[in-house]
Amino acid sequence: MSFQIDRNMNRWWFGAVLLAMVLLLCMTTRTALAQGGGVHTVAAGETLTAIARRYQTDINTLMRLNAISDPSLIRVGQVLSVPSSVVGSGAGRDASTGAIDLTATMPTASAELTRIYIALPGDTLSTVAAKFRTSTARLAEMNQRSPSALLHVGEALRVPVSQGTTFAPQLGEEIPVAGKHYVHVIQEGETLAGIVNAYGTSLRRTLELNNIADARQVKPGQRIVVPPPSFAEIFANAPMGKNGVPEYPVIPTEDKWISVDLDHQRLYAWEGNKLIKRFAISSGKAKTPTVTGVFRIWAKVSSQTMQGGSRAAGDYYNLPNVQWVQYFYRDYALHGAYWHNKFGTPTSRGCINLTNSDAKWLFDWASPTVSYSGWHFMDAANPGTLVIVHR
């Protein structure tokens, strides 16, 4: 009888030890996954934006991976799937502008060349994989997404580009590049600036879309429509090619268009995907920055006097005969500058300065077309050239 009890006790102790070992292994594995980037446990005070930055991704990817419809509805202790094993300072998003960085490194098996592909209507993961001569499983792994998950029109995918693969830039008219609008319910303590930063979109466009005059006027419980990122957000931090030209993931139009890269102080004149000319510029200083966004040239004049500032503040200016002026947003303009030679360095009060000769070439090339001296304005028959200003 005593032998039977001892044997049962031994079995019980063996089972308990085995269970403890299994639990310890599970806890260790889970901790390793959390540290390695497989999952992340939400801590007190964390937001989805902060978590996205930590894992070098964007908030939309985290929302898709975790079936989250509202980024403000995460809770302490919630376990989230995360797309990357890299824990860093947030290379996937520009902290100052909230711009989505489509060039952020995703985990790949090797240092293969990749590009960003924007999903078209009718695309599936398998058809995209076939287009770029890879497997569906490989594409799912590169983008840290389920192979069975639906591919949304306008979704950005990282794809391999090998020798023999033709990567044709897509045209903006054919696809809703930016994705979809979201309805966001404002929570206690949230600001509009923080919300648009979390969605990687524009504060100015969000204000305009919701007819909000002052960003400070929003209140908890208010529902707002958050627009998708514009070309300016998508182009932010585009990789610079070896030829000194940004490698934009999409082409916004087959017609003429202008891109302005404020970080590199360069302007590029395009026709579809063909670069026509590039120039060094001087954009706004830190205290008087150049506006970013997607615009059209709405007015042109070959010469005018520009004045502004304050005599009392010591920043008054009066500049006669400013040549080849093209307004693209309110009083922000592309124009010649004869009073400095600091092209390649931010110097202006917000306008985009070029040399007079460069400004004239751009004036003659861009629309609305000019047939006489004086002011010219865009209209339906003579629309202004598209201008995309980005970081």
Side-chain angles (χ1 to χ4, degrees):
M1 184 70 174
S2 175
F3 174 75
Q4 182 68 28
I5 292 175
D6 289 344
R7 186 167 61 180
N8 288 339
M9 287 292 292
N10 288 338
R11 288 177 177 172
W12 185 87
W13 277 108
F14 177 77
V17 171
L18 181 61
L19 178 61
M21 292 176 66
V22 170
L23 289 174
L24 180 61
L25 177 61
C26 289
M27 291 174 64
T28 304
T29 302
R30 180 168 181 154
T31 301
L33 281 172
Q35 293 174 346
V39 296
H40 175 88
T41 302
V42 179
E46 279 191 315
T47 64
L48 207 60
T49 305
I51 296 168
R53 287 176 178 163
R54 179 180 181 188
Y55 291 96
Q56 298 188 358
T57 187
D58 62 83
I59 192 171
N60 292 326
T61 298
L62 290 183
M63 290 174 67
R64 185 181 71 245
L65 288 176
N66 296 279
I68 296 172
S69 58
D70 187 335
S72 65
L73 298 181
I74 61 172
R75 63 186 185 280
V76 175
Q78 182 176 352
V79 178
L80 301 176
S81 297
V82 291
S84 173
S85 61
V86 180
V87 178
S89 60
R93 184 182 296 276
D94 184 320
S96 63
T97 64
I100 298 172
D101 179 3
L102 296 179
T103 68
T105 302
M106 298 288 283
T108 55
S110 62
E112 63 184 311
L113 177 64
T114 63
R115 293 289 298 271
I116 293 297
Y117 174 81
I118 306 297
L120 298 168
D123 273 343
T124 65
L125 207 62
S126 59
T127 60
V128 175
K131 184 179 297 185
F132 292 96
R133 302 182 183 182
T134 188
S135 66
T136 304
R138 177 72 186 113
L139 207 55
E141 177 191 2
M142 291 178 69
N143 292 275
Q144 294 293 293
R145 70 190 321 281
S146 168
S148 61
L150 292 176
L151 190 58
H152 300 289
V153 174
E155 184 175 346
L157 288 176
R158 188 164 292 278
V159 296
V161 181
S162 58
Q163 288 186 351
T165 300
T166 301
F167 190 95
Q170 299 154 41
L171 298 174
E173 287 89 347
E174 299 172 357
I175 54 174
V177 173
K180 63 180 182 179
H181 290 70
Y182 286 92
V183 175
H184 181 90
V185 180
I186 298 176
Q187 304 298 308
E188 189 71 42
E190 283 189 319
T191 65
L192 201 56
I195 293 167
V196 298
N197 183 61
Y199 283 93
T201 191
S202 162
L203 176 60
R204 177 179 56 79
R205 291 192 303 118
T206 303
L207 289 170
E208 292 173 353
L209 183 63
N210 293 276
N211 294 317
I212 298 173
D214 188 340
R216 296 169 296 181
Q217 293 177 347
V218 298
K219 55 186 182 294
Q222 182 177 347
R223 298 169 70 88
I224 61 170
V225 178
V226 182
S230 69
F231 283 112
E233 279 95 36
I234 292 175
F235 284 6
N237 300 315
M240 185 63 71
K242 293 180 179 179
N243 59 350
V245 178
E247 295 179 349
Y248 296 128
V250 291
I251 303 301
T253 177
E254 292 184 45
D255 298 323
K256 294 177 179 179
W257 60 287
I258 294 167
S259 65
V260 180
D261 184 340
L262 298 178
D263 283 349
H264 295 94
Q265 292 290 286
R266 292 292 185 271
L267 182 149
Y268 303 90
W270 304 81
E271 289 188 23
N273 63 355
K274 182 181 179 182
L275 178 65
I276 304 302
K277 206 154 185 175
R278 60 179 128 175
F279 309 99
I281 63 161
S282 179
S283 65
K285 298 177 290 187
K287 291 184 178 180
T288 54
T290 299
V291 64
T292 59
V294 181
F295 315 100
R296 285 192 179 274
I297 295 172
W298 66 271
K300 299 172 72 167
V301 65
S302 58
S303 177
Q304 72 169 122
T305 295
M306 289 188 175
Q307 59 182 349
S310 166
R311 295 184 189 277
D315 59 0
Y316 174 78
Y317 63 93
N318 186 308
L319 300 168
N321 195 30
V322 179
Q323 296 183 349
W324 318 118
V325 183
Q326 303 187 84
Y327 287 94
F328 60 88
Y329 177 69
R330 296 183 179 175
D331 59 352
Y332 289 85
L334 306 156
H335 62 74
Y338 58 82
W339 53 91
H340 75 79
N341 192 29
K342 298 179 180 178
F343 303 103
T345 303
T347 304
S348 82
R349 298 180 59 86
C351 286
I352 297 171
N353 294 176
L354 302 100
T355 66
N356 269 338
S357 59
D358 290 346
K360 183 181 188 310
W361 184 94
L362 197 65
F363 187 92
D364 292 340
W365 176 82
S367 60
T369 53
V370 173
S371 58
Y372 56 88
S373 61
W375 285 90
H376 300 260
F377 298 93
M378 66 169 284
D379 55 31
N382 195 7
T385 295
L386 189 71
V387 178
I388 301 172
V389 185
H390 66 87
R391 287 287 174 190

PDB file of all heavy atoms in Angstrom, residues 222-245:
ATOM      1  N   GLN A 222     -16.581  63.546 -30.909  1.00  0.00           N
ATOM      2  CA  GLN A 222     -16.807  64.079 -32.254  1.00  0.00           C
ATOM      3  C   GLN A 222     -16.300  63.093 -33.294  1.00  0.00           C
ATOM      4  O   GLN A 222     -15.232  62.508 -33.159  1.00  0.00           O
ATOM      5  CB  GLN A 222     -16.095  65.422 -32.405  1.00  0.00           C
ATOM      6  CG  GLN A 222     -16.306  66.109 -33.754  1.00  0.00           C
ATOM      7  CD  GLN A 222     -15.640  67.472 -33.798  1.00  0.00           C
ATOM      8  OE1 GLN A 222     -15.232  68.017 -32.763  1.00  0.00           O
ATOM      9  NE2 GLN A 222     -15.517  68.030 -34.990  1.00  0.00           N
ATOM     10  N   ARG A 223     -17.087  62.892 -34.339  1.00  0.00           N
ATOM     11  CA  ARG A 223     -16.703  62.002 -35.435  1.00  0.00           C
ATOM     12  C   ARG A 223     -16.142  62.845 -36.573  1.00  0.00           C
ATOM     13  O   ARG A 223     -16.770  63.814 -37.003  1.00  0.00           O
ATOM     14  CB  ARG A 223     -17.907  61.186 -35.925  1.00  0.00           C
ATOM     15  CG  ARG A 223     -18.493  60.272 -34.865  1.00  0.00           C
ATOM     16  CD  ARG A 223     -19.829  59.703 -35.307  1.00  0.00           C
ATOM     17  NE  ARG A 223     -19.660  58.741 -36.385  1.00  0.00           N
ATOM     18  CZ  ARG A 223     -19.435  57.448 -36.212  1.00  0.00           C
ATOM     19  NH1 ARG A 223     -19.338  56.962 -34.981  1.00  0.00           N
ATOM     20  NH2 ARG A 223     -19.314  56.628 -37.232  1.00  0.00           N
ATOM     21  N   ILE A 224     -14.965  62.477 -37.046  1.00  0.00           N
ATOM     22  CA  ILE A 224     -14.358  63.196 -38.166  1.00  0.00           C
ATOM     23  C   ILE A 224     -13.986  62.195 -39.257  1.00  0.00           C
ATOM     24  O   ILE A 224     -13.765  61.011 -38.982  1.00  0.00           O
ATOM     25  CB  ILE A 224     -13.106  63.986 -37.736  1.00  0.00           C
ATOM     26  CG1 ILE A 224     -12.028  63.047 -37.169  1.00  0.00           C
ATOM     27  CG2 ILE A 224     -13.452  65.077 -36.748  1.00  0.00           C
ATOM     28  CD1 ILE A 224     -10.695  63.704 -36.960  1.00  0.00           C
ATOM     29  N   VAL A 225     -13.942  62.692 -40.470  1.00  0.00           N
ATOM     30  CA  VAL A 225     -13.489  61.874 -41.601  1.00  0.00           C
ATOM     31  C   VAL A 225     -12.006  62.154 -41.819  1.00  0.00           C
ATOM     32  O   VAL A 225     -11.602  63.307 -41.976  1.00  0.00           O
ATOM     33  CB  VAL A 225     -14.290  62.203 -42.877  1.00  0.00           C
ATOM     34  CG1 VAL A 225     -13.761  61.383 -44.052  1.00  0.00           C
ATOM     35  CG2 VAL A 225     -15.768  61.923 -42.652  1.00  0.00           C
ATOM     36  N   VAL A 226     -11.211  61.096 -41.786  1.00  0.00           N
ATOM     37  CA  VAL A 226      -9.763  61.234 -41.971  1.00  0.00           C
ATOM     38  C   VAL A 226      -9.422  60.848 -43.413  1.00  0.00           C
ATOM     39  O   VAL A 226      -9.674  59.711 -43.825  1.00  0.00           O
ATOM     40  CB  VAL A 226      -8.985  60.341 -40.987  1.00  0.00           C
ATOM     41  CG1 VAL A 226      -7.482  60.540 -41.160  1.00  0.00           C
ATOM     42  CG2 VAL A 226      -9.391  60.645 -39.553  1.00  0.00           C
ATOM     43  N   PRO A 227      -8.885  61.767 -44.201  1.00  0.00           N
ATOM     44  CA  PRO A 227      -8.593  61.448 -45.605  1.00  0.00           C
ATOM     45  C   PRO A 227      -7.370  60.550 -45.733  1.00  0.00           C
ATOM     46  O   PRO A 227      -6.529  60.510 -44.833  1.00  0.00           O
ATOM     47  CB  PRO A 227      -8.323  62.822 -46.223  1.00  0.00           C
ATOM     48  CG  PRO A 227      -7.778  63.627 -45.088  1.00  0.00           C
ATOM     49  CD  PRO A 227      -8.511  63.147 -43.863  1.00  0.00           C
ATOM     50  N   PRO A 228      -7.266  59.829 -46.836  1.00  0.00           N
ATOM     51  CA  PRO A 228      -6.071  59.006 -47.062  1.00  0.00           C
ATOM     52  C   PRO A 228      -4.858  59.885 -47.330  1.00  0.00           C
ATOM     53  O   PRO A 228      -4.999  61.074 -47.619  1.00  0.00           O
ATOM     54  CB  PRO A 228      -6.439  58.183 -48.305  1.00  0.00           C
ATOM     55  CG  PRO A 228      -7.446  59.035 -49.019  1.00  0.00           C
ATOM     56  CD  PRO A 228      -8.223  59.759 -47.953  1.00  0.00           C
ATOM     57  N   PRO A 229      -3.664  59.329 -47.219  1.00  0.00           N
ATOM     58  CA  PRO A 229      -2.463  60.124 -47.510  1.00  0.00           C
ATOM     59  C   PRO A 229      -2.431  60.572 -48.961  1.00  0.00           C
ATOM     60  O   PRO A 229      -2.892  59.872 -49.853  1.00  0.00           O
ATOM     61  CB  PRO A 229      -1.308  59.169 -47.197  1.00  0.00           C
ATOM     62  CG  PRO A 229      -1.909  57.807 -47.277  1.00  0.00           C
ATOM     63  CD  PRO A 229      -3.329  57.951 -46.843  1.00  0.00           C
ATOM     64  N   SER A 230      -1.909  61.768 -49.186  1.00  0.00           N
ATOM     65  CA  SER A 230      -1.811  62.312 -50.536  1.00  0.00           C
ATOM     66  C   SER A 230      -0.506  61.854 -51.181  1.00  0.00           C
ATOM     67  O   SER A 230       0.310  61.171 -50.568  1.00  0.00           O
ATOM     68  CB  SER A 230      -1.838  63.843 -50.481  1.00  0.00           C
ATOM     69  OG  SER A 230      -0.643  64.317 -49.882  1.00  0.00           O
ATOM     70  N   PHE A 231      -0.301  62.275 -52.436  1.00  0.00           N
ATOM     71  CA  PHE A 231       0.971  61.990 -53.096  1.00  0.00           C
ATOM     72  C   PHE A 231       2.138  62.553 -52.297  1.00  0.00           C
ATOM     73  O   PHE A 231       3.208  61.964 -52.257  1.00  0.00           O
ATOM     74  CB  PHE A 231       0.989  62.585 -54.507  1.00  0.00           C
ATOM     75  CG  PHE A 231       0.208  61.800 -55.514  1.00  0.00           C
ATOM     76  CD1 PHE A 231      -0.950  62.317 -56.064  1.00  0.00           C
ATOM     77  CD2 PHE A 231       0.626  60.543 -55.917  1.00  0.00           C
ATOM     78  CE1 PHE A 231      -1.680  61.592 -56.999  1.00  0.00           C
ATOM     79  CE2 PHE A 231      -0.090  59.817 -56.844  1.00  0.00           C
ATOM     80  CZ  PHE A 231      -1.250  60.340 -57.383  1.00  0.00           C
ATOM     81  N   ALA A 232       1.921  63.706 -51.647  1.00  0.00           N
ATOM     82  CA  ALA A 232       3.010  64.306 -50.871  1.00  0.00           C
ATOM     83  C   ALA A 232       3.420  63.402 -49.722  1.00  0.00           C
ATOM     84  O   ALA A 232       4.608  63.239 -49.439  1.00  0.00           O
ATOM     85  CB  ALA A 232       2.586  65.675 -50.342  1.00  0.00           C
ATOM     86  N   GLU A 233       2.431  62.793 -49.031  1.00  0.00           N
ATOM     87  CA  GLU A 233       2.763  61.867 -47.952  1.00  0.00           C
ATOM     88  C   GLU A 233       3.410  60.595 -48.500  1.00  0.00           C
ATOM     89  O   GLU A 233       4.364  60.059 -47.933  1.00  0.00           O
ATOM     90  CB  GLU A 233       1.515  61.511 -47.145  1.00  0.00           C
ATOM     91  CG  GLU A 233       1.100  62.540 -46.112  1.00  0.00           C
ATOM     92  CD  GLU A 233       0.046  63.512 -46.622  1.00  0.00           C
ATOM     93  OE1 GLU A 233      -0.832  63.094 -47.396  1.00  0.00           O
ATOM     94  OE2 GLU A 233       0.113  64.692 -46.238  1.00  0.00           O
ATOM     95  N   ILE A 234       2.887  60.090 -49.610  1.00  0.00           N
ATOM     96  CA  ILE A 234       3.431  58.861 -50.190  1.00  0.00           C
ATOM     97  C   ILE A 234       4.848  59.076 -50.712  1.00  0.00           C
ATOM     98  O   ILE A 234       5.702  58.197 -50.629  1.00  0.00           O
ATOM     99  CB  ILE A 234       2.497  58.340 -51.314  1.00  0.00           C
ATOM    100  CG1 ILE A 234       1.173  57.860 -50.703  1.00  0.00           C
ATOM    101  CG2 ILE A 234       3.143  57.213 -52.101  1.00  0.00           C
ATOM    102  CD1 ILE A 234       0.146  57.443 -51.728  1.00  0.00           C
ATOM    103  N   PHE A 235       5.106  60.287 -51.246  1.00  0.00           N
ATOM    104  CA  PHE A 235       6.426  60.573 -51.797  1.00  0.00           C
ATOM    105  C   PHE A 235       7.466  60.896 -50.720  1.00  0.00           C
ATOM    106  O   PHE A 235       8.661  60.922 -50.997  1.00  0.00           O
ATOM    107  CB  PHE A 235       6.353  61.766 -52.755  1.00  0.00           C
ATOM    108  CG  PHE A 235       5.755  61.430 -54.105  1.00  0.00           C
ATOM    109  CD1 PHE A 235       5.209  60.179 -54.360  1.00  0.00           C
ATOM    110  CD2 PHE A 235       5.726  62.371 -55.121  1.00  0.00           C
ATOM    111  CE1 PHE A 235       4.652  59.876 -55.593  1.00  0.00           C
ATOM    112  CE2 PHE A 235       5.182  62.084 -56.362  1.00  0.00           C
ATOM    113  CZ  PHE A 235       4.638  60.829 -56.592  1.00  0.00           C
ATOM    114  N   ALA A 236       7.003  61.174 -49.508  1.00  0.00           N
ATOM    115  CA  ALA A 236       7.940  61.567 -48.445  1.00  0.00           C
ATOM    116  C   ALA A 236       8.989  60.482 -48.235  1.00  0.00           C
ATOM    117  O   ALA A 236       8.681  59.302 -48.145  1.00  0.00           O
ATOM    118  CB  ALA A 236       7.184  61.828 -47.144  1.00  0.00           C
ATOM    119  N   ASN A 237      10.244  60.905 -48.169  1.00  0.00           N
ATOM    120  CA  ASN A 237      11.371  60.002 -47.941  1.00  0.00           C
ATOM    121  C   ASN A 237      11.536  58.951 -49.038  1.00  0.00           C
ATOM    122  O   ASN A 237      12.022  57.853 -48.786  1.00  0.00           O
ATOM    123  CB  ASN A 237      11.247  59.310 -46.579  1.00  0.00           C
ATOM    124  CG  ASN A 237      11.212  60.293 -45.438  1.00  0.00           C
ATOM    125  OD1 ASN A 237      11.995  61.232 -45.406  1.00  0.00           O
ATOM    126  ND2 ASN A 237      10.284  60.105 -44.519  1.00  0.00           N
ATOM    127  N   ALA A 238      11.104  59.277 -50.267  1.00  0.00           N
ATOM    128  CA  ALA A 238      11.343  58.362 -51.388  1.00  0.00           C
ATOM    129  C   ALA A 238      12.849  58.155 -51.539  1.00  0.00           C
ATOM    130  O   ALA A 238      13.631  59.090 -51.370  1.00  0.00           O
ATOM    131  CB  ALA A 238      10.764  58.939 -52.677  1.00  0.00           C
ATOM    132  N   PRO A 239      13.285  56.934 -51.836  1.00  0.00           N
ATOM    133  CA  PRO A 239      14.729  56.697 -51.955  1.00  0.00           C
ATOM    134  C   PRO A 239      15.319  57.482 -53.114  1.00  0.00           C
ATOM    135  O   PRO A 239      14.680  57.655 -54.149  1.00  0.00           O
ATOM    136  CB  PRO A 239      14.823  55.188 -52.202  1.00  0.00           C
ATOM    137  CG  PRO A 239      13.502  54.818 -52.792  1.00  0.00           C
ATOM    138  CD  PRO A 239      12.498  55.725 -52.150  1.00  0.00           C
ATOM    139  N   MET A 240      16.504  57.981 -52.921  1.00  0.00           N
ATOM    140  CA  MET A 240      17.185  58.730 -53.969  1.00  0.00           C
ATOM    141  C   MET A 240      17.971  57.759 -54.835  1.00  0.00           C
ATOM    142  O   MET A 240      18.764  56.960 -54.334  1.00  0.00           O
ATOM    143  CB  MET A 240      18.124  59.761 -53.345  1.00  0.00           C
ATOM    144  CG  MET A 240      18.789  60.677 -54.361  1.00  0.00           C
ATOM    145  SD  MET A 240      17.608  61.704 -55.290  1.00  0.00           S
ATOM    146  CE  MET A 240      17.081  62.860 -54.035  1.00  0.00           C
ATOM    147  N   GLY A 241      17.715  57.781 -56.138  1.00  0.00           N
ATOM    148  CA  GLY A 241      18.415  56.892 -57.049  1.00  0.00           C
ATOM    149  C   GLY A 241      19.856  57.317 -57.262  1.00  0.00           C
ATOM    150  O   GLY A 241      20.279  58.413 -56.880  1.00  0.00           O
ATOM    151  N   LYS A 242      20.624  56.444 -57.884  1.00  0.00           N
ATOM    152  CA  LYS A 242      22.034  56.732 -58.126  1.00  0.00           C
ATOM    153  C   LYS A 242      22.232  57.927 -59.048  1.00  0.00           C
ATOM    154  O   LYS A 242      23.279  58.566 -59.031  1.00  0.00           O
ATOM    155  CB  LYS A 242      22.718  55.500 -58.727  1.00  0.00           C
ATOM    156  CG  LYS A 242      22.804  54.315 -57.761  1.00  0.00           C
ATOM    157  CD  LYS A 242      23.496  53.128 -58.403  1.00  0.00           C
ATOM    158  CE  LYS A 242      23.599  51.955 -57.438  1.00  0.00           C
ATOM    159  NZ  LYS A 242      24.258  50.776 -58.062  1.00  0.00           N
ATOM    160  N   ASN A 243      21.198  58.224 -59.844  1.00  0.00           N
ATOM    161  CA  ASN A 243      21.282  59.366 -60.762  1.00  0.00           C
ATOM    162  C   ASN A 243      20.823  60.667 -60.114  1.00  0.00           C
ATOM    163  O   ASN A 243      20.674  61.690 -60.781  1.00  0.00           O
ATOM    164  CB  ASN A 243      20.447  59.094 -62.014  1.00  0.00           C
ATOM    165  CG  ASN A 243      18.978  58.837 -61.684  1.00  0.00           C
ATOM    166  OD1 ASN A 243      18.609  58.687 -60.516  1.00  0.00           O
ATOM    167  ND2 ASN A 243      18.152  58.770 -62.709  1.00  0.00           N
ATOM    168  N   GLY A 244      20.577  60.632 -58.795  1.00  0.00           N
ATOM    169  CA  GLY A 244      20.170  61.843 -58.102  1.00  0.00           C
ATOM    170  C   GLY A 244      18.723  62.213 -58.301  1.00  0.00           C
ATOM    171  O   GLY A 244      18.345  63.367 -58.084  1.00  0.00           O
ATOM    172  N   VAL A 245      17.888  61.253 -58.692  1.00  0.00           N
ATOM    173  CA  VAL A 245      16.460  61.484 -58.902  1.00  0.00           C
ATOM    174  C   VAL A 245      15.678  60.585 -57.951  1.00  0.00           C
ATOM    175  O   VAL A 245      15.968  59.387 -57.866  1.00  0.00           O
ATOM    176  CB  VAL A 245      16.064  61.187 -60.364  1.00  0.00           C
ATOM    177  CG1 VAL A 245      14.566  61.388 -60.557  1.00  0.00           C
ATOM    178  CG2 VAL A 245      16.855  62.075 -61.318  1.00  0.00           C
TER     179      VAL A 245
END
